[in-house]
Amino acid sequence: MLLCVGVAALLSCENDPAEVAEMFPDVRPDAERITEFETIYSDSARIKVRITGVEMLRFRENNDFVQIFPNGVQVEFFDDFGAVTSTLTAGYGTRNETQEQVIVRDSVVWQSTEGDRLDTEELVWEAQEERIFSDRFVRLRQGRQVITGIGFESNQNFTESRVRAVQGVVQMQR
């Protein structure tokens, strides 16, 4: 008897989508919400990229899955030996799963383990093309040199990068 009451209680539970939308006005009702997430991308059993954050929303849009990182995201890039070569942080991000494109915005900072640093407001990573770029203002520090300008492009390892429209170059003293 108790089992029948328990099953009946479970079957009678229902979430009204309108009520859920009222409780979470900034979240799509069809979105999966994941907290404290970690996503790892590998190639030939070697970790290439690790993406972490405090919240990820995932939903289907136009026959594709989209991930949104509304509270920031951190990306770590690894070399072939499993060592972190650089990190990327941003206050907001999106990822289109089919196109394998990540767009990060809001206080974007990329920093290599060798001390190079890029600051911008938006950066796009196209994983299939292994390319990173921006059409926004950038500040790139490499060694003692700081380059500012509009636009940036690089391979995903940041080993071949350039500022497109250079506005200034400053040599820093140590």
Side-chain angles (χ1 to χ4, degrees):
M1 178 66 167
L2 185 58
L3 179 63
C4 291
V5 171
V7 170
L10 284 174
L11 292 176
S12 66
C13 291
E14 183 178 327
N15 289 330
D16 180 13
E19 289 178 20
V20 173
E22 283 180 32
M23 291 172 54
F24 303 101
D26 297 335
V27 177
R28 291 174 50 142
D30 61 333
E32 299 172 321
R33 182 175 180 264
I34 302 163
T35 58
E36 302 298 327
F37 69 90
E38 176 181 61
T39 304
I40 295 175
Y41 296 92
S42 63
D43 182 20
S44 303
R46 291 188 174 140
I47 296 175
K48 293 295 183 181
V49 176
R50 177 174 40 211
I51 301 175
T52 58
V54 295
E55 180 180 31
M56 177 176 65
L57 304 174
R58 183 175 184 262
F59 53 89
R60 189 174 186 95
E61 184 173 88
N62 300 328
N63 295 325
D64 195 5
F65 283 100
V66 175
Q67 298 170 352
I68 296 178
F69 313 104
N71 297 311
V73 63
Q74 178 172 332
V75 182
E76 294 174 298
F77 297 90
F78 295 84
D79 65 15
D80 289 338
F81 303 103
V84 174
T85 59
S86 62
T87 58
L88 176 81
T89 58
Y92 178 86
T94 62
R95 178 174 182 265
N96 180 298
E97 290 183 19
T98 301
Q99 294 176 3
E100 293 186 46
Q101 182 186 65
V102 176
I103 301 172
V104 289
R105 295 184 181 107
D106 188 19
S107 303
V108 178
V109 177
W110 167 83
Q111 184 137 11
S112 75
T113 54
E114 289 138 14
D116 294 348
R117 179 180 168 123
L118 175 73
D119 294 271
T120 187
E121 281 303 309
E122 181 179 88
L123 202 59
V124 179
W125 171 34
E126 292 182 345
Q128 289 177 343
E129 295 180 26
E130 298 183 352
R131 172 176 103 106
I132 294 174
F133 66 92
S134 178
D135 293 327
R136 305 283 177 98
F137 176 81
V138 297
R139 182 176 161 260
L140 177 63
R141 181 173 183 159
Q142 294 177 310
R144 294 180 29 207
Q145 188 176 57
V146 177
I147 305 167
T148 58
I150 306 296
F152 174 82
E153 56 188 55
S154 176
N155 61 357
Q156 73 180 19
N157 298 327
F158 287 91
T159 56
E160 298 173 19
S161 61
R162 73 179 184 98
V163 175
R164 288 190 200 140
V166 175
Q167 293 179 332
V169 178
V170 177
Q171 294 293 328
M172 305 294 289
Q173 294 181 357
R174 293 225 177 214

